[in-house]
Amino acid sequence: MDRLHGSHASAALLYPPQSSYACNHVDFSGVAQICALAPDPQQMAQISPAAALRICLLSALALSPAEAFAGEGPVVWSASGSASNMAIRSGVALDVPGRPRFGAESTLRVSTRTDSGTVRPPLRLWGEVDIRRSDVSPTSLGLAIDPSNGAARAAIRQSRAMLDQGPATLSLQRTLEAGRRTDGSAAFVARQNVRLAFTEFDAAVSGGVAMDNKAPFRAELGLEKRLALGVSLTAILSDLAHEPAARIDARFERKW
C-alpha cells in the first residue's frame, strides 16, 4: 500500500520503491541489536551477504556523529532501512529561488519465499522544486523516473500547519499524483493525511485516505514513536474501508 512516511519520504511519495509500501512491516529487534553492538562473526556467517551489507551500512549510519546533520545544505543525503530492505537517497540542492533539488535513489530488497528481492537495477531519478516556501502552507512539485521500466510520476504536494502551538502540532498534507505505472498504464492518485504530533513524547497519531484509479479507496490510522539512533516504531491499522488489518513497521531513518 502506498503510504507517506513523514517529510523524509517525498521520494517514496512520488514513486514508491518496489516494496517500501508493501512489506516494510517487519520485526526490527534483531537488526537493532546488531546495529547497537559490534557484529559477531558467527552471526554474520548465518545471514545472506546482502543482509550483512545492509547491517554494516546501517551500523555505520547509526553510530555516526549527530553533528553530521547538515540541515538544508547543498548536498541531499538520507537513508532508511529495516530487516527486509534499505533505501538510500542522494542529490544536490541549488541555492536559487525554489531551491530545486535532484539526484538518484536506490532500494535494495531481501529475497523471501514470496518475493524474489531486488532483480532489476535499483536506481531511480528524482527532482523537486518548491513552488511556495512558507512556514504555514508550503507547496512543492516533484518528479520521479525509473529508467529500468519507464515508469514515472509527477506530484504536487501541499502541507498546512493547522495548529502549531502548545504541546501538540496538527498538520494536513494533500498530494495529487499523475504518471505512468510499471505496466504502462496511467496512474492518477489523490491522498490526504492528517498528523497530530506530541513533541514532549516524540510521538504522533496520523490518519490518511487515498484514491487511486486502479485500486479501491483506502483509509488507515497510525501511531508512531521515535526512539534513539533514528529508529521509529509505527503501528498501522490499514484498509479500514474493506478488511482492516493491523501491522507494525520498524525502520531506521536518518538525514544529513
Side-chain angles (χ1 to χ4, degrees):
M1 170 184 295
D2 292 352
R3 303 196 288 112
L4 178 64
H5 291 279
S7 60
H8 161 64
S10 56
L13 175 66
L14 301 181
Y15 189 84
Q18 294 296 324
S19 65
S20 176
Y21 293 81
C23 56
N24 279 345
H25 315 287
V26 293
D27 184 5
F28 194 75
S29 58
V31 177
Q33 294 174 0
I34 296 176
C35 288
L37 304 174
D40 181 77
Q42 294 182 353
Q43 290 178 329
M44 298 298 287
Q46 296 175 358
I47 60 180
S48 66
L53 175 60
R54 276 198 319 281
I55 290 173
C56 291
L57 289 175
L58 289 175
S59 299
L61 295 174
L63 297 177
S64 61
E67 289 75 14
F69 182 77
E72 290 190 352
V75 178
V76 178
W77 175 261
S78 61
S80 66
S82 69
S84 63
N85 62 69
M86 183 180 70
I88 296 178
R89 190 186 211 204
S90 61
V92 296
L94 303 181
D95 189 15
V96 298
R99 194 173 179 266
R101 306 169 294 280
F102 55 90
E105 59 188 6
S106 179
T107 302
L108 299 177
R109 299 180 294 116
V110 173
S111 177
T112 64
R113 294 180 179 178
T114 58
D115 191 345
S116 59
T118 299
V119 296
R120 295 180 177 177
L123 178 66
R124 292 177 299 277
L125 307 178
W126 64 272
E128 295 175 354
V129 63
D130 295 328
I131 300 177
R132 177 185 179 186
R133 300 202 72 180
S134 168
D135 294 336
V136 178
S137 182
T139 305
S140 63
L141 176 65
L143 175 67
I145 302 174
D146 191 333
S148 65
N149 53 35
R153 293 277 181 103
I156 183 170
R157 182 181 61 181
Q158 181 184 56
S159 300
R160 181 179 180 183
M162 303 177 63
L163 175 64
D164 196 15
Q165 297 179 353
T169 61
L170 180 63
S171 59
L172 173 67
Q173 186 174 75
R174 299 186 183 96
T175 304
L176 293 177
E177 298 181 21
R180 183 173 59 185
R181 305 178 191 273
T182 57
D183 59 2
S185 62
F188 301 100
V189 184
R191 311 176 198 275
Q192 181 165 289
N193 296 273
V194 178
R195 178 182 175 87
L196 179 62
F198 301 91
T199 54
E200 183 178 354
F201 304 101
D202 206 6
V205 178
S206 62
V209 295
M211 299 182 67
D212 191 317
N213 66 318
K214 291 194 67 176
F217 173 83
R218 301 192 301 272
E220 67 178 28
L221 294 175
L223 175 62
E224 178 182 352
K225 171 62 178 176
R226 291 190 176 275
L227 307 177
L229 298 178
V231 176
S232 63
L233 299 176
T234 306
I236 300 293
L237 183 60
S238 63
D239 204 7
L240 299 179
H242 304 283
E243 298 179 0
R247 58 187 187 273
I248 295 179
D249 177 17
R251 296 190 64 81
F252 168 87
E253 179 178 318
R254 189 158 187 177
K255 298 180 183 180
W256 286 264

